[in-house]
Amino acid sequence: VDYSLVWKIAAAMGAIIILIIGWAVLVQRQKNVLQVSEERFRGYFENSQIGMAVSSPEKGWLEANQRLQDMLGYSLQEMKNMSWVEMTHPEDVEADTTQFKKMMKGEFDYYNLEKRFIRKDGGIVHTNLSASCIRNDKAQIDIIIASILDITERIRMENDIIEAKNKAEEATQAKGDFLANMSHEIRTPMNAIMGMTHLALQTQLTKKQQDYLNKVHSSATSLLGLINDILDFSKIEAGEL
């Protein structure tokens, strides 16, 4: 018996077994890494403070975390029976679907926009939507991952600020109009007083009468100057001067 040949065969078989074991260990490690990655992603997905969802190329919901379910008022099972188009505010459907179609055509892999969803109870939720697609080896879209941030409170605050600003501008305009009208109404009789005192001063008067009329005329002139200043100030506030 040629033992050297036997040993060679045994050594070759041992090497093959080692290779198989090494490959199996490597595969198992890859599986473990993949499992850890999946668990980590699931943890991020479920515990995220913003709404997270996975949808299909057909616009259906596949997954939604609890934050998004609470935001929209639907359970995951209810969402799976609907498309996200059905939950989108009618005025925002076109903008969202246009971007979605472009992504499906391969023009880009990500888009972001502000849109409104309609809650189950009929309420409106303002959101900032970020959607990105995951493609397979054939460059076809398998799933779409979306993050949905509720910005309803921010929109409400912005609207409150705009409303307060408009009211302040209206109040300023009303004040300006009032000052202009008041100045006009006072200035007309004031001019008459000044004119009459000026004429009266041209007549024969006692020193006491002349002193009285001079004081009236001087006071009327000062008051008219003040009225003109008020009118100019109102014009500056109104942007007319």
Side-chain angles (χ1 to χ4, degrees):
V1 178
D2 187 353
Y3 289 103
S4 63
L5 179 60
V6 172
W7 283 112
K8 289 179 180 179
I9 294 172
M13 292 180 63
I16 292 172
I17 291 172
I18 290 172
L19 288 173
I20 292 173
I21 293 174
W23 177 80
V25 170
L26 180 61
V27 170
Q28 186 60 45
R29 284 180 179 176
Q30 291 176 337
K31 287 183 178 180
N32 291 340
V33 170
L34 180 61
Q35 183 178 357
V36 170
S37 297
E38 289 178 348
E39 290 175 353
R40 192 171 295 169
F41 172 77
R42 175 59 62 180
Y44 293 151
F45 184 87
E46 293 297 341
N47 299 315
S48 174
Q49 295 304 303
I50 64 174
M52 297 288 295
V54 178
S55 66
S56 69
E58 292 74 36
K59 305 182 181 70
W61 299 100
L62 300 178
E63 295 286 345
N65 67 355
Q66 191 60 49
R67 179 71 183 91
L68 183 59
Q69 294 176 51
D70 294 341
M71 188 189 304
L72 301 179
Y74 289 95
S75 67
L76 178 58
Q77 189 56 50
E78 289 174 321
M79 293 177 70
K80 286 183 176 181
N81 293 328
M82 304 173 68
S83 71
W84 52 259
V85 176
E86 295 175 79
M87 297 182 185
T88 301
H89 192 286
E91 295 178 3
D92 297 339
V93 170
E94 183 177 357
D96 197 356
T97 54
T98 297
Q99 294 293 91
F100 185 82
K101 289 175 182 177
K102 288 182 178 180
M103 186 171 70
M104 293 296 295
K105 290 178 181 179
E107 294 184 26
F108 44 74
D109 290 333
Y110 170 90
Y111 70 90
N112 178 276
L113 56 77
E114 289 190 6
K115 63 174 288 187
R116 291 164 291 179
F117 283 98
I118 300 177
R119 287 176 45 86
K120 183 178 180 179
D121 60 12
I124 304 297
V125 182
H126 293 262
T127 70
N128 187 298
L129 167 72
S130 297
S132 58
C133 63
I134 304 298
R135 299 182 183 274
N136 57 28
D137 296 337
K138 298 179 180 179
Q140 298 172 329
I141 295 179
D142 278 339
I143 58 173
I144 295 92
I145 299 177
S147 62
I148 303 169
L149 176 64
D150 186 347
I151 60 171
T152 304
E153 185 63 19
R154 191 200 81 188
I155 296 296
R156 185 191 65 77
M157 292 178 63
E158 290 177 352
N159 290 337
D160 287 347
I161 291 173
I162 292 172
E163 183 178 355
K165 179 176 178 292
N166 291 337
K167 287 182 178 179
E169 290 176 349
E170 290 174 1
T172 299
Q173 183 63 44
K175 182 180 70 174
D177 293 342
F178 170 76
L179 289 174
N181 291 333
M182 181 192 71
S183 299
H184 175 73
E185 294 299 328
I186 296 177
R187 190 162 47 175
T188 300
M190 192 60 62
N191 283 326
I193 294 172
M194 291 176 63
M196 294 303 294
T197 54
H198 176 73
L199 291 175
L201 286 168
Q202 307 305 312
T203 63
Q204 293 294 324
L205 301 169
T206 66
K207 288 184 178 181
K208 183 174 289 189
Q209 290 172 333
Q210 189 173 27
D211 180 56
Y212 288 161
L213 288 174
N214 280 330
K215 288 179 179 178
V216 170
H217 191 273
S218 176
S219 297
T221 301
S222 297
L223 186 56
L224 183 61
L226 178 61
I227 293 169
N228 287 333
D229 290 342
I230 293 174
L231 182 59
D232 288 343
F233 179 73
S234 67
K235 287 182 177 179
I236 290 172
E237 283 194 326
E240 298 175 0
L241 191 64

